[in-house]
Amino acid sequence: MMLLVVSGASKGFGREASIALASHFRHVPLRIILTARSESGLLQTKQGMEQMLDSCDNDKSQYKSNLNHVKTLYDISIHPMDLSQLDCLESNLQQLVDAAMPMDRYERVIIVNNAGSVGPVGPMTSDTTLSDISAAIQFNITSSIWFSSVWVRALKDHPHTTLINISSLCALQPFPTMATYCTGKAARDMFHATMAKENPNLRFLNYAPGAMQTAMTTMLKESNSLDNELSKWFRSSELIDPMTSAVKLVSIIESNNFLNGSHIDFWDV
Ligand SMILES: NC(=O)c1ccc[n+]([C@@H]2O[C@H](COP(=O)([O-])OP(=O)(O)OC[C@H]3O[C@@H](n4cnc5c(N)ncnc54)[C@H](OP(=O)(O)O)[C@@H]3O)[C@@H](O)[C@H]2O)c1
């Protein structure tokens, strides 16, 4: 049996990564845990996964005949929660870990730490406030690294665990007017690289999915505060379909040919 946990699974890359991973691993029984704030978005993702998994009837019957003790071939639960709320983060994340228990039933685990926001956009000399920065750092760094920490604690002795941090080119390269976002992505990369050193028995990957067509980039395209050159680039470039990037992530995980804790970009492979 395999455990798949995805944060930010209600739309965008998180939704497509959930579907691509479930599709790739459809031959094994799947326990899937999806989280984000929007319950309706999570339900849509769940339905998309169910449609895809149910359409694999041939695979299912073949598998069922081999493993009679498996009652259902997948079990998907959705957990709406606001990961930016640190006062209830402990109990919210515990709810996810409890939903996954017992851990010793999994032969393989994949955790995708995908939830993120772009935060305040604009030059730091403009009207960005301390509270804007604090909220963005709280969600994109503190909450995000605690999300991974909770899973590392729960799975530290579990072989075949891969934890993917959804990174960005912004983790490596400064982009004017996106300082808070770049800072958050760089911090998350370093955290997961350090986790790889502390927990060499687990696999960590910082995956930069490329500039994709999602709500996040729609917001950037519409922003009046984004750097002019960046704005032109976003408006004139053909952005990657998130499913294309999700399929590439699956192939990177499957090849398992990456240095533990490294950063791999969509365009690198
Ligand atoms: N789009 C790109 O070009 C691009 C490029 C590089 C990296 N990335 C990274 O890829 C990841 C996904 O981005 P995306 O483009 O798919 O963006 P998106 O469409 O805006 O999706 C963001 C996801 O995060 C969830 N989320 C946001 N705030 C949350 C909160 N407070 N609590 C819980 N969940 C929250 C959203 O769900 P709810 O709104 O339902 O909570 C949604 O599922 C992010 O980490 C982003 O930085 C994106």
Side-chain angles (χ1 to χ4, degrees):
M1 190 171 202
M2 175 172 171
L3 171 65
L4 172 62
V5 181
V6 184
S7 74
S10 61
K11 60 183 176 183
F13 181 71
R15 170 176 292 166
E16 304 304 320
S18 304
I19 294 172
L21 283 160
S23 170
H24 184 77
F25 292 104
R26 65 185 180 273
H27 303 283
V28 292
L30 292 166
R31 173 73 182 105
I32 299 169
I33 295 177
L34 306 174
T35 188
R37 287 170 302 185
S38 163
E39 185 167 12
S40 60
L42 289 171
L43 268 174
Q44 276 182 47
T45 304
K46 183 178 182 226
Q47 283 160 4
M49 295 173 99
E50 285 169 348
Q51 271 167 19
M52 178 276 298
L53 290 164
D54 290 343
S55 71
C56 305
D57 272 335
N58 291 338
D59 300 335
K60 260 175 34 171
S61 51
Q62 185 190 3
Y63 192 82
K64 266 182 183 157
S65 65
N66 291 344
L67 271 180
N68 293 331
H69 65 280
V70 177
K71 268 198 245 146
T72 51
L73 292 173
Y74 61 85
D75 172 13
I76 308 172
S77 62
I78 62 164
H79 303 262
M81 62 181 67
D82 186 343
L83 291 169
S84 72
Q85 299 300 312
L86 296 192
D87 50 352
C88 45
L89 190 65
E90 292 275 22
S91 57
N92 277 336
L93 295 183
Q94 191 56 48
Q95 183 199 127
L96 302 184
V97 173
D98 289 347
M101 292 288 195
M103 297 301 180
D104 58 8
R105 63 183 160 145
Y106 303 117
E107 278 112 45
R108 179 129 198 225
V109 178
I110 294 180
I111 312 286
V112 186
N113 184 345
N114 164 73
S117 68
V118 85
V121 172
M124 290 310 279
T125 46
S126 73
D127 47 6
T128 300
T129 65
L130 175 60
S131 97
D132 293 337
I133 294 174
S134 173
I137 296 289
Q138 183 165 300
F139 171 49
N140 289 300
I141 303 181
T142 311
S143 168
S144 172
I145 69 176
W146 192 244
F147 178 91
S148 291
S149 305
V150 163
W151 287 107
V152 168
R153 286 172 191 208
L155 295 160
K156 64 180 186 307
D157 300 319
H158 200 290
H160 311 302
T161 293
T162 306
L163 199 157
I164 298 117
N165 166 47
I166 300 306
S167 182
S168 166
L169 180 58
C170 294
L172 308 181
Q173 200 174 309
F175 288 95
T177 67
M178 296 186 71
T180 314
Y181 183 72
C182 294
T183 304
K185 288 300 188 191
R188 279 167 66 150
D189 264 32
M190 181 52 83
F191 177 80
H192 290 87
T194 309
M195 284 302 97
K197 296 283 181 201
E198 283 184 14
N199 304 279
N201 55 326
L202 307 184
R203 300 282 284 150
F204 295 85
L205 172 67
N206 293 304
Y207 175 64
M212 300 173 291
Q213 184 57 63
T214 67
M216 188 176 277
T217 47
T218 300
M219 193 275 264
L220 287 173
K221 278 183 197 169
E222 288 168 359
S223 167
N224 296 324
S225 314
L226 191 67
D227 174 71
N228 271 342
E229 290 305 310
L230 262 182
S231 189
K232 270 191 227 153
W233 186 86
F234 271 114
R235 286 159 194 259
S236 62
S237 302
E238 193 178 329
L239 300 178
I240 301 163
D241 171 28
M243 180 51 90
T244 305
S245 186
V247 167
K248 194 166 275 190
L249 171 61
V250 172
S251 73
I252 296 168
I253 296 170
E254 267 308 80
S255 73
N256 201 24
N257 193 22
F258 54 89
L259 192 68
N260 205 8
S262 58
H263 174 110
I264 298 185
D265 193 278
F266 174 84
W267 296 107
D268 290 344
V269 278

